Amino acid sequence: NIVIAYIDDGITIHFAIVKPEYTFPSISERQAFYTEEGYRTFQYLNDAVEFFHLGYKINHPLVKYPFLTALHSIKKIISKAHEKESNVHHKVSMCKGIILSQIGDHTLNIKTLAKKVGTSADYLGRLFQKEAGCSLNHYIQQQRILMARELLGKSDLDINQVCHQTGFVDPSYFTKVFKKMVHVSPKDYRKNAH
């Protein structure tokens, strides 16, 4: 059940559970949305209820259309809330896709990614940290090392080639990062993989 409350020219929408022993629903405030269009939405619902109480059937246009209009308005409120949420996730998802598709590009970093997704590097860094739980640079390195492990285990590329295929420029830096993340050198990893 949904409980809609009209408060201060706004409307809040709460999910509720109706308990048989009560005449009013017990509100569980899992989600609440607020909109400045509250008065209009409330008015549509009020009109539908008034006409229903005057004896009009539920599918009569005087009851049905105001009610459907109010539901449409509520749907827009909820969609706007989800849209804000999904825009945040969308930028992080875009970054992850770009990273995976361009893992071999040694110029791949927070600045180039920010430019590609249309935001500032600082904002993207904070957003990615919040959503993914790690820094963007750390995530790039993780993905590069995952790809390096795959190449070392399943290809005949030498370690320098694997280094360059995964976006590292300096083989000694590649070995250092690989050892730090995998706890063995690329050479020892390859021996154990075969």
Side-chain angles (χ1 to χ4, degrees), residues 91-103 113 139:
K91 289 192 185 304
V92 171
S93 295
M94 280 178 61
C95 278
K96 288 180 176 181
I98 293 167
I99 291 165
L100 292 176
S101 67
Q102 298 177 10
I103 200 74
L113 285 167
Y139 183 82

Side-chain angles (χ1 to χ4, degrees), residues 44-45 47-69 71:
Y44 290 133
L45 288 170
D47 289 349
V49 170
E50 279 186 36
F51 284 116
F52 180 73
H53 284 294
L54 289 172
Y56 291 94
K57 301 248 184 251
I58 194 81
N59 57 355
H60 189 280
L62 290 174
V63 176
K64 183 179 179 180
Y65 293 126
F67 185 72
L68 290 175
T69 304
L71 286 179

Side-chain angles (χ1 to χ4, degrees), residues 128-143:
F128 198 92
Q129 177 74 41
K130 180 183 171 194
E131 295 297 318
C134 67
S135 75
L136 188 50
N137 288 329
H138 182 75
Y139 183 82
I140 292 169
Q141 281 193 342
Q142 278 182 325
Q143 296 308 308

